[in-house]
Each structure stands twice: as C-alpha cells, then as structure tokens.
Amino acid sequence: MKLIYLLPLLAFTSPILAQQKALPAPLKLVTEQGGEIVSEFAAPANMKGYVADFKGQVITLYITADEQYLFTGPMLDANGNNVGEQAANDYATGPKAQKDWQTLESSHWIVDGSASAKRVVYTFTDPNCPYCRQFWQNARPWVDAGEVQIRHILVGILKADSLGKAAAIMSASNPEEVLKKFENDNLARTLQPLKNPPEHINAQLMKNHQIMMGVGARATPATFYHDANGAVKMQMGLPPASLMTEILGPRPSKLTK
C-alpha cells in the first residue's frame, strides 16, 4: 500500500447535528478543519461525547462539563470498555456507510464485468499500482463467471505519470477494453500518459480523487463492498486470499460463456 496526501473532505450536511452554532466552542477546532459533528452520546463525569466524521475517518470526541476542554480518541472505563465505541460504530455502519456507497455511485468509474452481475464492488485504481493489477488478476474467476461487477474508480496518485495514464484510459473510445488490456499487462509498458487531457477528463479525475479522500481511502487499491449482512465495508490494499470470498462472494465453480 502507498499512502497519499490528504485533501479537504467533501462537505456534507449532518442529518443529526445541523446547527453547528449550538455546539460547544472547542468543537470548532474540528469543524473549522473540515470535520462534521454527526451525533452526541452520553459520557461519564458530566462530560458530553460526540462522534465526528473527520476527512473520512470516524472519531470520538469528549467535552468537559464546563465546555472549555476537548479530548479526542477512545475513552476507556475501569473494565477497559471503549465508552464511545458503540456510537461510533452505529454511525460508521449506518449513515456513513450508506452515504459513502451513494458517493461511490456518483464517481466516474469503468466497468469490469457483466451488467447482470448480482454483486457490485467499487475499487480505487491507480494505473501504476501493482497491487491493483494483482487484485484484477485475483478477481478473474468471479468476474469471468458473471457473478461480480467491479467498478474501477481511476485516480492518479502514485507516480508523476499516473494521472496522465488514468486520463489516457478514461479518454479512450472504449475505456473498458483499454483497462482490461492494461491490467492484463498487454498495455502496461506501452500506454503513453496523456499530456493534455480534455477538461472534462481532468474534472472527472479530480472528482474521483476528492471522493477517495471523502470516503476515507488512503491507498490503492481501496475496495468497498457489502458483507453478508449488507453492511458496507472497506478493504485497504490488496485483499488477502482469505478475504476474497467475503468481498466477492463464494468462488464460482464454473465460468459463464
């Protein structure tokens, strides 16, 4: 995995705590840096606990009874239980997960797989990412069987020519076929980065990058999927073999023709 620089979080309106002016003053330290206070929960010692979405990361915050001091991170009770864990998980697996999935749907992605596939998976892909190419290869049994459709959200973050290569793929008359050839290594060494991409392609790649930051992805591949219970989950980096069936479903025994 390769870490990337942070960009400002995509703004969204909190359905729970829309009136930021009513929040304790120390929370402005969070909101002024792009964070969003999304819920409040009971905390010990007359403090108030809050859940925040900070640049795609779900964090817990605590305000002292006099509303003058702010603490961040986990708070443990005498038994080692994380006081804010349930509230954070409720948001992460509920409103945030659904919002993130809708945001992914609005990105500019390239399809890999059948339109009638029962399962849809989103993954952020950089043309220079070897782990993205390995994930592509590892997913062939599911995609070729028509069971899974993978939607590749192209970004250009790893090398100087990543953006140009992503633009070259997205500008093609048949980007699905070009991406397929590229990930199969037929074009990996010969694809020339686009030096002056069309304005609309630049805009699409910028939106993809912003969405990547907004959903908390910090490396490629970053793969989003629904687990067996329907919850949205994210796998950062190349999924291990043990996780492939959770992401893509049962391994197909036969390929569809």
Side-chain angles (χ1 to χ4, degrees), residues 8-253:
L9 176 66
L10 293 177
F12 68 94
T13 301
S14 169
I16 304 174
L17 297 176
Q19 299 299 324
Q20 296 291 348
K21 63 182 180 181
L23 296 174
L27 290 178
K28 291 182 180 179
L29 296 171
V30 177
T31 59
E32 289 175 354
Q33 297 182 60
E36 184 80 11
I37 309 302
V38 297
S39 66
E40 181 180 344
F41 60 92
N46 295 320
M47 291 190 289
K48 293 180 180 179
Y50 295 88
V51 175
D53 193 323
F54 189 76
K55 299 181 179 179
Q57 304 298 311
V58 180
I59 61 174
T60 49
L61 310 168
Y62 297 91
I63 298 292
T64 54
D66 61 5
E67 297 191 347
Q68 297 300 306
Y69 299 94
L70 167 68
F71 299 89
T72 65
M75 176 183 289
L76 305 182
D77 63 17
N79 297 316
N81 299 312
N82 186 342
V83 174
E85 183 176 18
Q86 185 62 53
N89 286 341
D90 287 346
Y91 172 69
T93 59
K96 177 175 171 55
Q98 296 306 316
K99 176 180 68 70
D100 285 351
W101 193 263
Q102 292 172 2
T103 300
L104 294 169
E105 290 178 333
S106 72
S107 66
H108 299 280
W109 34 268
I110 298 176
V111 171
D112 172 32
S114 172
S116 61
K118 298 178 180 178
R119 186 181 296 247
V120 171
V121 170
Y122 289 92
T123 188
F124 287 94
T125 299
D126 185 296
N128 285 314
C129 172
Y131 302 112
C132 297
R133 183 168 294 115
Q134 187 61 57
F135 178 51
W136 174 286
Q137 297 294 341
N138 293 350
R140 288 309 90 197
W142 288 268
V143 174
D144 292 344
E147 296 292 329
V148 176
Q149 180 189 100
I150 300 179
R151 297 176 176 179
H152 291 266
I153 306 172
L154 263 61
V155 292
I157 58 175
L158 297 184
K159 294 183 179 180
D161 65 351
S162 288
L163 197 63
K165 287 182 177 179
I169 296 171
M170 291 180 65
S171 298
S173 59
N174 189 340
E176 292 83 4
E177 189 62 27
V178 173
L179 182 62
K180 179 179 180 180
K181 291 180 179 179
F182 183 83
E183 296 294 6
N184 280 326
D185 212 32
N186 295 335
L187 290 180
R189 297 183 181 180
T190 59
L191 181 69
Q192 295 300 312
L194 206 58
K195 294 183 179 180
N196 297 299
E199 185 176 342
H200 74 282
I201 295 295
N202 277 331
Q204 290 175 358
L205 287 169
M206 177 59 70
K207 180 178 180 180
N208 285 355
H209 196 171
Q210 291 175 330
I211 287 176
M212 184 178 183
M213 299 298 96
V215 297
R218 301 291 182 261
T220 57
T223 305
F224 290 77
Y225 63 99
H226 286 98
D227 68 9
N229 297 317
V232 177
K233 290 189 175 181
M234 175 179 67
Q235 164 62 28
M236 197 89 74
L238 177 65
S242 59
L243 199 59
M244 290 295 282
T245 54
E246 178 177 329
I247 296 174
L248 303 178
R251 188 179 181 89
S253 58

